[in-house]
Amino acid sequence: MIVAAIIICSLCCCNSVAALSLSPEISRRNVLRTSYTAAATPILHQLLSPDIANAASNLGLANKLSKRDPSMLKNSVFNIPPGSQVYPEFMHGDWDVTMKYRGFLFPSTSIPKEKLVANVGIPGFQKLSIATVGDVGREVTNYQMSIDKSTKMEDRKLSLSTSINGHLGYDAVREVIYDPKDNPNRISIDFIPNRTRNANRIELFCNGRESELVSAEESASGQTVFLCAEYIRQVTFGLSQEFGVARQVSGNYGHFWTWKSPKDSSSATITGNLLTAAYLDAQDPMFFEEPSKPVVVYSHDLVATRR
């Protein structure tokens, strides 16, 4: 089912992009087809402030993101299985998170936008095709996040279930199966039967991780900044139009998070941003036209308040 009605928000520091409200019957692909052709700089400009860009080393995730160039967000080539993601001290604890949609861009110079929006298999063009952001164009979504103080790891069961339910607007997740000690790179999500046509089950495979901590001393703002990335292959199982045959769709995307520490010790709020880069699957007929660079990039702002 094509997702209806999204609001294209003005991007940070970009007056040329006007907000656009659309009626519910217009599909997301029609929105993308008729809306602007965004430049790469505006959507990425807000990701790193100048002080973070200046602190970025020649290597690492901070340097990659500081370029504000979507072509730098290439898909990871699976090699050695990555370890679990651990988080800095300022993120430890329980959080209520508000995610706000900012916008999107088509960075590919090889494939026309009109050709891309006709491809329903691109992550983000259908609900639940990106598990963490189940409805990419939803204006505001609330979910919960918890970082364990001893293991320094995220409770993926909590964040995924609350994020998916929040994006859908109703409880749909029956169970999230994840054991980081056994395998930190695989997550299974089971849905309540008949709650959504888009998915009965989702399997997530993490093919790569990156992270970097920019200290407050390196940042002109005096705030510590944590950056992390995950490269995901998602396999979605759902209903098909053919009786007795399950629908199976594979998609590839990368999440790039930026989190800033509180401005002062009395603050209970941290802010962040999530860029999601959607890649073509190897089985897609257009794959060799853009085999590693993203064909769509989505942006969301994050505000987390300590519970």
Side-chain angles (χ1 to χ4, degrees), residues 228-292:
C228 61
E230 290 188 341
Y231 301 89
I232 302 295
R233 178 169 177 80
Q234 175 174 324
V235 183
T236 305
F237 300 88
L239 300 175
S240 71
Q241 295 181 346
E242 186 176 350
F243 180 77
V245 178
R247 169 179 167 268
Q248 178 178 326
V249 179
S250 297
N252 300 276
Y253 51 86
H255 288 311
F256 300 85
W257 285 274
T258 300
W259 286 103
K260 287 188 176 184
S261 65
K263 292 184 177 181
D264 55 70
S265 57
S266 62
S267 176
T269 300
I270 58 176
T271 59
N273 176 262
L274 170 62
L275 291 181
T276 302
Y279 311 106
L280 293 175
D281 187 75
Q283 302 301 314
D284 193 288
M286 295 186 290
F287 175 75
F288 290 103
E289 297 179 62
E290 200 69 275
S292 61

Side-chain angles (χ1 to χ4, degrees), residues 43-56 61-68 214 225-227 257-260 273 275:
I43 195 171
L44 295 179
H45 179 74
Q46 44 73 38
L47 180 60
L48 290 178
S49 58
D51 57 289
I52 303 303
N54 292 336
L61 184 59
N63 179 67
K64 180 188 298 184
L65 295 177
S66 71
K67 302 297 184 183
R68 300 187 178 97
V214 178
V225 178
F226 178 64
L227 308 100
W257 285 274
T258 300
W259 286 103
K260 287 188 176 184
N273 176 262
L275 291 181

Side-chain angles (χ1 to χ4, degrees), residues 75-76 78 81-82 131-132 156 160 177-178 183-189 201-209 230-237 248-255 279 281:
N75 198 4
S76 174
F78 182 77
T132 300
R156 299 295 179 108
L160 274 171
I177 303 169
Y178 181 56
N183 184 355
N185 302 314
R186 181 170 182 174
I187 301 176
S188 299
I189 306 168
R201 189 175 88 253
I202 289 176
E203 299 288 338
L204 300 177
F205 304 91
C206 182
N207 294 330
R209 288 190 177 93
E230 290 188 341
Y231 301 89
I232 302 295
R233 178 169 177 80
Q234 175 174 324
V235 183
T236 305
F237 300 88
Q248 178 178 326
V249 179
S250 297
N252 300 276
Y253 51 86
H255 288 311
Y279 311 106
D281 187 75

